[in-house]
Amino acid sequence: MQQFTSVYDLRSLPAALAQAKEVKARPFADRRLGENKTLLMVFFNASLRTRLSTQKAALNLGMNVIVLDINQGAWKLETERGVVMDGDKPEHILEAIPVMGCYCDLIGVRAFAGLHSRDDDYREAILNQFIRYAGKPVFSMEGATRHPLQSFADLITIEEYKRTPAPKVLLTWAPHPNALPQAVANSFSEWILKAGYELVITHPEGYELAPAFVEGATIEYDVEKAYSGVDFVYAKNWSVYAGDQYGKVLHTDRRWTVDRRKMALTRDAFFMHCLPVRRNMIVTDEVIESPASIVIPEAANRVVAAQVVLKSMLW
Ligand code: AN0
Ligand code: CP
């Protein structure tokens, strides 16, 4: 695999899920595969899980790892071509990317949506420049529009916890004080639909996701109906996608917080969230601390997902 930015980069999703089982059962089976190979992880944004789990996956494969936080100690990067660089940015991304490529065999990039220009975000301006100019295989550690390593771990977790062959999955918007990207929600929807599972998406009016990501899902504005009979509740906040309100927070209505009353409408559903999660905004203490909450095993599976992806990029 030369790049990994979405589920469509996998040759086969069922094969990837089978590999995940193998990797989980024998995490050190391929520890010679990454010998003398260097992974560079480049972060334009903060991270706890992605940073640690991807690094752990690389170590399990015998790789060396270098981590660069662009906003801590690196030169500020200009990302637009044609700019007269007389401002506060001493380096252009068009030099920085190929230079980074010289120092490693594989590059992971985290570059969130800026939420200013929908066009820039949805053409994955930063991630695609890495793919084009790094000269090395590139994978996404959350781009502007998708978070494929997260969605892969989410699906691995659903496979482990499902009680029926074809579980019904709910993706629900939940309130958050800040404007967040749509990436996690887009990507989750894409992977669940690709897996062939029934997906219901519920959110307040105005929070519709980009149609390309949700085609095949049922959009249900009635919260009670949405929760009814589902096996997994996946909560996430996102800011507005549609129209001239792109990137805005319309409201933080806590009637959308996942609580015990809503969970009682489900088929004994498990609660999932990619983390970090704001308690009593996205989900109540009670639900996240209940036996239904599988957020920690979900986070643990990030290592498995990353290891499957790194493995296929090293082959
Ligand atoms: C980020 C987001 O919503 O995309 C990262 C989630 C993995 N979340 C926050 O910034 C809180
Ligand atoms: N879920 C996730 O990607 O977490 P981090 O932002 O901490 O990496």
Side-chain angles (χ1 to χ4, degrees), residues 110 112 142 147 150 176 180-181 183-184 236-237 274-276:
R110 166 164 285 201
F112 286 179
E142 187 172 339
H147 192 358
Q150 180 64 48
H176 192 285
L180 299 188
V184 171
K236 184 69 186 82
N237 173 269
C274 63
L275 308 182

Side-chain angles (χ1 to χ4, degrees), residues 145-156:
T145 62
R146 294 178 171 95
H147 192 358
L149 285 173
Q150 180 64 48
S151 314
F152 187 12
D154 296 336
L155 192 56
I156 293 168

Side-chain angles (χ1 to χ4, degrees), residues 15-258:
L17 288 167
Q19 274 197 23
K21 268 193 179 169
E22 281 171 31
V23 161
K24 194 151 181 172
R26 296 189 303 132
F28 306 112
D30 299 294
R31 65 179 185 280
R32 305 294 303 271
L33 192 63
E35 208 172 30
N36 299 329
K37 301 277 187 201
T38 299
L39 166 66
L40 171 62
M41 305 202 297
V42 181
F43 288 94
F44 287 84
N45 315 92
S47 167
L48 186 153
R49 279 142 291 273
T50 304
R51 175 185 304 259
L52 298 180
S53 63
T54 310
Q55 185 155 354
K56 177 69 170 100
L59 295 175
N60 288 354
L61 292 168
M63 299 186 83
N64 299 308
V65 184
I66 308 174
V67 183
L68 179 68
D69 287 296
I70 292 287
N71 299 322
Q72 281 168 28
W75 302 109
K76 256 194 171 169
L77 294 181
E78 176 56 59
T79 56
E80 292 302 315
R81 195 175 166 279
V83 170
V84 177
M85 288 172 59
D86 60 355
D88 64 337
K89 293 170 182 156
E91 176 145 38
H92 203 286
I93 199 166
L94 288 171
E95 282 77 53
I97 291 175
V99 167
M100 291 186 235
C102 296
Y103 305 147
C104 63
D105 302 284
L106 215 57
I107 306 188
V109 181
R110 166 164 285 201
F112 286 179
L115 298 177
H116 303 298
S117 153
R118 188 167 94 177
D119 280 353
D120 284 354
D121 289 346
Y122 274 71
R123 68 185 168 87
E124 291 284 2
I126 305 282
L127 196 55
N128 280 330
Q129 292 195 76
F130 271 87
I131 290 168
R132 193 156 162 206
Y133 299 116
K136 296 290 157 64
V138 170
F139 64 95
S140 165
M141 300 195 298
E142 187 172 339
T145 62
R146 294 178 171 95
H147 192 358
L149 285 173
Q150 180 64 48
S151 314
F152 187 12
D154 296 336
L155 192 56
I156 293 168
T157 311
I158 289 175
E159 292 305 306
E160 288 174 350
Y161 282 84
K162 70 182 184 186
R163 302 185 192 103
T164 55
K168 190 173 167 186
V169 180
L170 171 67
L171 166 63
T172 178
W173 181 94
H176 192 285
N178 305 328
L180 299 188
Q182 298 95 33
V184 171
N186 286 343
S187 203
F188 182 74
S189 175
E190 200 166 57
W191 283 67
I192 294 301
L193 293 169
K194 185 87 168 85
Y197 293 150
E198 186 180 349
L199 177 66
V200 179
I201 303 179
T202 189
H203 52 70
E205 296 212 19
Y207 281 102
E208 288 72 20
L209 292 164
F213 292 99
V214 300
E215 205 186 315
T218 305
I219 313 300
E220 177 57 71
Y221 293 96
D222 181 323
V223 184
E224 301 211 342
K225 270 197 202 151
Y227 275 76
S228 151
V230 301
D231 300 293
F232 291 90
V233 173
Y234 192 96
K236 184 69 186 82
N237 173 269
W238 60 88
S239 60
V240 172
Y241 168 76
D244 54 10
Q245 298 281 82
Y246 178 74
K248 297 277 181 302
V249 176
L250 298 179
H251 58 77
T252 56
D253 187 347
R254 284 170 54 211
R255 278 178 303 182
W256 287 84
T257 301
V258 181

